[in-house]
Amino acid sequence: MAATDGDRNAETGQLEFSLEVPFPSVREATVALRSLAPDGEPRRGGISKQLAVTGSTLSVRWSADEARILRVSVSSFLDHLALVAETMEMFGPPVAQ
Amino acid sequence: MQRPAKWIFSESEKLAAMTVVIGFEGSANKIGIGIIRDGEVLSNPRRTYITPPGQGFMPSDTARHHRAVILTVLKEALEQAGLKPADIDCVAYTKGPGMGAPLVTVALVARTVAQLWGKPLLGVNHCIGHIEMGRLITQADNPTVLYVSGGNTQVISYSERRYRIFGETIDIAVGNCLDRFARVIKISNDPSPGYNIEQMAKKGSQYVELPYTVKGMDVSFSGILSYIEEASHKMLSSGQCAAEDLCFSLQETVFSMLVEITERAMAHCGSKEVLIVGGVGCNLRLQEMMGVMCKERGAKLFATDERFCIDNGAMIAQAGWEMFRSGQVMELEDSWITQRYRTDEVEVTWRN
């Protein structure tokens, strides 16, 4: 798993953070994306999060007004990711489509 | 394949023709996963997050509890049912209402296994889960429903494809009132505060008069809670009454209110059946009081025990089964959870 520092974007003034998570295959990366994507951020405004799959890598990009909000969102995302990964380990691999 | 005029099915063909749904529930302090095959509960394991006396359960701690046990409970559900993932036809989970963090935890696992196993996913309204499970277990056909738990208090009647709310609490749920009173006098939360109040109430002998707050078809419990909180500090320290008397008085008062609004809903609808669901519904004193009212009206009372009254996975599987069989589908991107989700928002596609 690779992550960038939470830097402030000079143009937008927003704090940004990104994460790249490798999976064994495109299929598994897609399962993770579709499990993690439906629930939006609990608070309205102040933060946005984008998920995408490129090859077998799940990438996530955050953009936030405040470090505190960013930290909460990233930390809760990591908890969720760990649960999804553990579920895939115990109850996977995905059946053939 | 050509079938003979009179179809004969083998045992394995019959099983294959049945619909198996797995249900995931975790909207409050219980995490449960149940499997239903055409009305038969194949498994229904559950764990409860129990906090020390005097403390309630907070969303993040509750989510952490569910997170720690959910995969073990899922394994148990499959093993006890003797099923493989391939035998399952549909995955159902609680979409809401409930506490956000625990709902998300459970939804994440449901979404993941639905994709891993290649099964459709359905989001269930928690209240509808209680109603459908109650109907399945008791075989009540078209009852007036009293739904009473730690988070909800509603009198419901079915009409025109909706479970319509005839009366409800205007502030806190009846179970929340009981739970918070238990915290005030430091009653144990194990197995549940309500159960312990019920046991203590049996030893109460003195009735302490409390506010009785029925407002039309609705009820209010927050004022009763404030009143009894203050009264308990004064009366217990001065020895005017025992904690058992307060438990007894609180139960008698709030249950009378619930019986009153249920009876009024029955009169409105001309209903001859009452079904009690939700965690508070396993209180035998509430069932007894409701039974007296039903007898007077020539109506029939239906209730279930703690296996199905208290939140469980099978109830979500059962509502999911009805939704699945009536052709409902849900896209994965629409599977977000919601803390607020009223009973009457759901179109009941499986009843006439």
Side-chain angles (χ1 to χ4, degrees):
Chain A
M1 194 155 68
T4 59
D5 279 347
D7 282 332
R8 210 171 268 282
N9 184 313
E11 274 173 42
T12 60
Q14 292 258 300
L15 278 167
E16 292 180 349
F17 183 77
S18 66
L19 200 63
E20 301 216 316
V21 191
F23 279 88
S25 70
V26 187
R27 183 76 199 288
E28 273 141 325
T30 309
V31 168
L33 173 104
R34 300 184 73 203
S35 289
L36 292 161
D39 296 304
E41 292 297 318
R43 58 170 65 231
R44 246 171 253 150
I47 186 150
S48 73
K49 178 179 80 201
Q50 278 174 339
L51 291 91
V53 165
T54 328
S56 58
T57 302
L58 170 69
S59 48
V60 196
R61 297 180 65 84
W62 279 267
S63 173
D65 294 341
E66 289 171 53
R68 184 178 51 88
I69 303 169
L70 180 61
R71 195 158 51 231
V72 170
S73 176
V74 172
S75 142
S76 112
F77 180 84
L78 290 175
D79 287 344
H80 294 169
L81 176 67
L83 177 57
V84 168
E86 210 181 306
T87 307
M88 286 166 68
E89 241 168 72
M90 271 182 79
F91 297 96
V95 293
Q97 266 177 324
Chain B
M1 191 176 78
Q2 198 113 56
R3 286 274 182 195
K6 192 179 177 195
W7 286 16
I8 299 161
F9 292 100
S10 72
E11 214 42 49
S12 66
E13 277 178 309
K14 273 188 222 156
L15 284 179
M18 291 177 148
T19 304
V20 180
V21 180
I22 186 166
F24 290 73
E25 156 61 29
S27 58
N29 69 333
K30 267 78 68 178
I31 164 87
I33 301 175
I35 301 178
I36 291 237
R37 180 172 61 204
D38 283 5
E40 184 192 354
V41 180
L42 300 181
S43 64
N44 200 15
R46 168 173 69 197
R47 300 281 193 284
T48 306
Y49 172 52
I50 294 168
T51 48
Q55 286 179 31
F57 50 92
M58 303 298 282
S60 61
D61 301 330
T62 309
R64 204 169 303 126
H65 166 267
H66 292 3
R67 161 79 176 82
V69 298
I70 187 167
L71 298 179
T72 311
V73 177
L74 175 52
K75 241 179 117 192
E76 274 177 31
L78 288 167
E79 279 170 11
Q80 288 169 16
L83 293 183
K84 298 181 298 298
D87 302 323
I88 289 163
D89 295 298
C90 174
V91 176
Y93 72 100
T94 307
K95 187 176 175 67
M99 298 198 303
L103 281 171
V104 171
T105 303
V106 174
L108 282 168
V109 174
R111 285 178 202 134
T112 305
V113 296
Q115 292 184 81
L116 291 173
W117 303 340
K119 307 295 177 188
L121 181 72
L122 282 176
V124 172
N125 177 300
H126 179 87
C127 320
I128 303 280
H130 275 297
I131 298 171
E132 292 308 334
M133 197 64 196
R135 289 181 64 223
L136 171 70
I137 298 293
T138 65
Q139 294 293 305
D141 174 46
N142 185 25
T144 298
V145 180
L146 176 67
Y147 170 29
V148 275
S149 68
N152 293 281
T153 304
Q154 296 178 341
V155 180
I156 299 157
S157 186
Y158 175 81
S159 167
E160 310 269 323
R161 305 224 142 192
R162 299 272 167 187
Y163 282 113
R164 302 193 189 260
I165 301 167
F166 274 68
E168 62 189 316
T169 176
I170 57 171
D171 40 60
I172 60 172
V174 63
N176 192 240
C177 179
L178 294 167
D179 292 353
R180 285 161 70 175
F181 170 67
R183 274 180 242 161
V184 170
I185 60 167
K186 299 273 171 26
I187 293 174
S188 165
N189 290 322
D190 187 8
S192 73
Y195 177 83
N196 293 326
I197 290 178
E198 183 181 356
Q199 304 319 310
M200 285 174 73
K202 289 177 186 166
K203 297 181 200 117
S205 53
Q206 183 194 341
Y207 179 76
V208 177
E209 197 159 324
L210 300 171
Y212 183 93
T213 39
V214 171
K215 304 180 186 246
M217 285 301 297
D218 295 329
V219 282
S220 161
F221 298 106
S222 67
I224 299 175
L225 178 64
S226 309
Y227 183 93
I228 199 169
E229 262 188 66
E230 213 182 297
S232 65
H233 292 307
K234 279 191 208 137
M235 296 179 81
L236 293 177
S237 58
S238 66
Q240 274 176 279
C241 72
E244 285 77 6
D245 298 326
L246 291 173
C247 291
F248 164 73
S249 308
L250 182 59
Q251 279 201 165
E252 295 301 304
T253 306
V254 297
F255 293 168
S256 303
M257 290 161 54
L258 295 172
V259 172
E260 182 187 330
I261 61 167
T262 306
E263 182 172 19
R264 197 168 303 131
M266 291 171 77
H268 275 306
C269 306
S271 167
K272 289 284 174 202
E273 289 179 341
V274 178
L275 170 65
I276 311 180
V277 299
V280 181
C282 57
N283 187 301
L284 295 177
R285 179 58 186 148
L286 172 59
Q287 292 184 13
E288 187 186 350
M289 289 167 72
M290 195 66 81
V292 171
M293 180 274 281
C294 285
K295 206 170 166 200
E296 285 170 4
R297 298 184 61 84
K300 211 165 165 223
L301 171 65
F302 297 92
T304 62
D305 61 29
E306 76 289 344
R307 287 170 301 166
F308 303 115
C309 248
I310 298 173
D311 293 351
N312 63 90
M315 63 184 243
I316 302 304
Q318 176 58 18
W321 185 92
E322 295 280 13
M323 291 164 74
F324 180 72
R325 290 280 292 240
S326 68
Q328 288 200 31
V329 284
M330 168 186 250
E331 294 303 323
L332 222 84
E333 45 268 39
D334 297 327
S335 66
W336 33 267
I337 60 95
T338 170
Q339 292 179 280
R340 299 191 189 286
Y341 191 9
R342 281 177 67 83
T343 314
D344 51 13
E345 280 178 52
V346 178
E347 196 192 348
V348 182
T349 50
W350 55 93
R351 287 185 66 177
N352 292 320

